[in-house]
Amino acid sequence: MSGLFSGLSPIQPDALLQLMVMARADDRPQKIDAGVGVYKTSDGKTPVMSAVRKAEQRLHDAQDSKSYLGMRGDAGYAEEIGKLLFGKAWGDDRLVGLQTPGGCGALALGFALVKAARPGAKVWVGTPTWPNHEPLIKGAGLTIETYPYYDKASTSIQFDEMVAALERAEEGDVVLLHGCCHNPTGADLDAGQWAKVRSIVAARGLIPFVDIAYQGLGDGLEEDAAGARSVVEAVDEAIVAQSCDKNFGMYRDRVGTLFVKGRDADATKLALDWIMQLARELWSMPPDHGAAVVRMVLEDEALREEWRAELDSMRDRINSLREKIAACDPRLEYIGRQKGMFSMLPVSPAQVVRLREEFAIYVAGSGRFNICGMGDDQVAYFCNSVKAVIDG
Ligand code: LMR
């Protein structure tokens, strides 16, 4: 008999995380690490947000136990995120939230719930999407169907094709939607397109599953939640996976939330029982630190304002970089119309390699790049390098 592990098939390393390692090891001074999605200041730092640091200090001083909190984690945390995400709709007894280890934990738990509730459900996923969506869905044992979302060549959303695909989805199928700041393209649905998607999912009895990991980094906290809110309000059943990694800068603390909306309070309660049980089987109880800190920031008026102001300045930096990059060349103009941390460069995989090897510019294989991966004084170098590889 062969060894237990030697029989495993080889694994392709995760491309994004591998890029992060490669960029760290590159000491060329002109380096631009625009791979993984972390916010960076103009001097390349990813600081702890000031309100977060203050809340951490208070937590450190006040916490007198690290005993278990229970399967729901910090209940006050989910309340605060619920208000932030759903606004006035929060408080509806058909809507419930549970703390998860990061957005990935929320996605994994949400898909596990779908699998438990409707094992044969198909999950419709836009192309392209965040590369980890597919393994998460398949890992839950669900089947994937795709709908066209974005055409890299024309830099536009393929909305007619998306609608046509969703009109083929069957009642009870799940539709994965990006709440805002689409990852990897930066191309968000506009209000009219959200309205159309909302009417299709409602009319066809589809279950929207919204992934929202960048609230506040596109147009603003309220604006970025509008699409998700409108879709969730329009249907009887919905799932939302949320992350605080980016908008609280709490990447390594893994702070996320899963929200579920059921047909009535009883159905929602049953779904909550299930996600608590599934969470128990997956991670037992979520880590506390990050969620407690986020709750403390959101509950305290002064800290909340401080956090909002810092988030606004992060968004302003991203949007001002977008404008500068868009102004470099007519072929990059579309970047000024897109939202959030990412856009896709009009480059082939071979050109991505050239950017990295010749110019020390790290972007994902798809051409996705982190807008704030560069300093203000590196924009011209970035644009000239991109133009050089596009022009051959
Ligand atoms: C990204 O897309 O770069 C981030 O969400 C980090 C990750 O986990 O992939």
Side-chain angles (χ1 to χ4, degrees), residues 14 16-17 35-38 104 130-132 183 214 245-246 254 342 368:
D14 183 280
L16 263 177
L17 302 189
V36 77
V38 292
C104 256
W130 181 50
N132 215 23
N183 181 4
Y214 296 85
D245 281 14
K246 327 278 171 166
R254 315 305 300 140
F342 307 114
R368 185 197 89 166

Side-chain angles (χ1 to χ4, degrees), residues 133-145:
H133 278 148
E134 184 181 320
L136 281 164
I137 297 165
K138 288 192 174 154
L142 293 164
T143 311
I144 295 185
E145 292 277 349

Side-chain angles (χ1 to χ4, degrees), residues 118-136:
R118 190 168 287 143
K122 292 190 285 267
V123 183
W124 290 76
V125 177
T127 52
T129 194
W130 181 50
N132 215 23
H133 278 148
E134 184 181 320
L136 281 164

Side-chain angles (χ1 to χ4, degrees), residues 103-124:
C104 256
L107 288 162
L109 189 59
F111 292 126
L113 177 67
V114 172
K115 178 70 182 175
R118 190 168 287 143
K122 292 190 285 267
V123 183
W124 290 76

Side-chain angles (χ1 to χ4, degrees), residues 329-377:
D329 189 282
R331 290 169 295 182
L332 302 179
E333 243 175 28
Y334 66 94
I335 291 172
R337 295 188 293 274
Q338 298 180 334
K339 310 281 180 205
M341 229 179 239
F342 307 114
S343 279
M344 271 174 133
L345 291 170
V347 290
S348 66
Q351 290 168 325
V352 167
V353 173
R354 203 177 147 209
L355 273 176
R356 185 166 71 233
E357 291 182 349
E358 207 171 305
F359 298 96
I361 295 179
Y362 288 76
V363 306
S366 61
R368 185 197 89 166
F369 75 106
N370 176 3
I371 305 280
C372 55
M374 68 197 79
D376 294 342
D377 57 352

